[in-house]
Amino acid sequence: MPRPRQPLLDRQRIVDTARAVIDAEGLTALSTRRLAAELGVQGPSLYHYFATKQDLLDAVADSVTATVDTSAFATRDWREALRRWALSYRRALRAHPNIVPHLAQGPGRRPAALAMADAVYGGLVRAGWPPARATHIGAALRYFVAGSALGSFARGFVEDPELYAAHYPHLTQAHRLAGHQRSVDEGAFALGLDALLHGLAAEYDRSVGPLEPADRAE
């Protein structure tokens, strides 16, 4: 029989399929057998592309990180760059929340994750932040964004007014929160991000201050 014009498998198709399984059913649903069935191949053929499941999960996580926009660190004020990065990062994680626990382990050897860390750290250091503080800021924003993507505050409350009325006098309207999930969660994220950035701006003014223009610096 003639050989197919395109190979049945490639890394991108495997990553895309694995990400779809994780998105739909969670990390525990992904196995070599399940992935091979989804792809219509035999399990051992996957090992030609990914030696271990860890390698595959790293590739899936990195495919999500690769969609995060860090370009503002090269062109914008550090405050605006942090805001744009945080918003883009959250959109990426909210689109694929089931991979967040693996992604949150750190960049490891993942190229897109390392490139993101490099862009954020480099942009902050260029803005005048001391290296240690730049590391802290990147970590703090990452904690904040990842936490917001792991779940919904509003949906954590059940729609049962009697549950709260009898024992929790300050939560008598909590049963309404789930019905306003988007506005509650988006509002909480916006408030938290503003508070973080305002606090950092105040610290910057105290500890760094205005930088001398590059063309005048010695």
Side-chain angles (χ1 to χ4, degrees):
M1 294 179 62
R3 296 179 63 185
R5 294 183 177 180
Q6 295 183 345
L8 185 61
L9 281 183
D10 59 52
R11 285 179 62 90
Q12 191 60 54
R13 185 180 172 215
I14 295 171
V15 168
D16 291 345
T17 303
R19 187 176 58 241
V21 171
I22 294 170
D23 284 347
E25 301 177 41
L27 284 167
T28 58
L30 186 68
S31 66
T32 300
R33 178 179 297 181
R34 171 66 184 281
L35 185 57
E38 292 286 335
L39 291 164
V41 300
Q42 297 298 313
S45 63
L46 298 174
Y47 294 112
H48 176 70
Y49 298 91
F50 297 98
T52 67
K53 183 178 178 180
Q54 177 75 25
D55 291 340
L56 175 58
L57 289 175
D58 281 346
V60 172
D62 221 32
S63 73
V64 173
T65 304
T67 67
V68 179
D69 183 8
T70 59
S71 62
F73 286 99
T75 60
R76 302 277 181 169
D77 174 79
W78 67 267
R79 302 163 186 81
E80 180 64 17
L82 279 177
R83 181 181 298 279
R84 293 187 180 210
W85 170 54
L87 293 172
S88 178
Y89 197 13
R90 183 171 184 257
R91 282 194 297 271
L93 299 193
R94 288 292 293 269
H96 307 280
N98 290 337
I99 195 63
V100 173
H102 184 81
L103 189 150
Q105 294 175 11
R109 297 178 180 273
R110 302 196 299 267
L114 289 169
M116 181 174 75
D118 184 71
V120 174
Y121 177 81
L124 292 172
V125 170
R126 283 194 304 275
W129 283 104
R133 263 295 181 250
T135 300
H136 296 160
I137 293 168
L141 265 290
R142 186 166 160 269
Y143 298 153
F144 176 62
V145 173
S148 76
L150 283 173
S152 164
F153 175 84
R155 289 192 65 81
F157 294 87
V158 300
E159 299 182 40
D160 179 4
E162 295 183 3
L163 172 67
Y164 307 104
H167 303 290
Y168 310 103
H170 301 295
L171 298 178
T172 55
Q173 299 302 307
H175 64 285
R176 302 180 184 275
L177 288 174
H180 301 278
Q181 176 189 347
R182 183 178 179 83
S183 63
V184 172
D185 292 345
E186 294 294 331
F189 182 82
L191 176 64
L193 182 58
D194 281 345
L196 273 170
L197 294 178
H198 288 159
L200 289 172
E203 180 178 347
Y204 184 89
D205 290 342
R206 287 194 304 269
S207 62
V208 179
L211 297 183
E212 187 175 353
D215 59 352
R216 292 173 52 193
E218 296 182 359

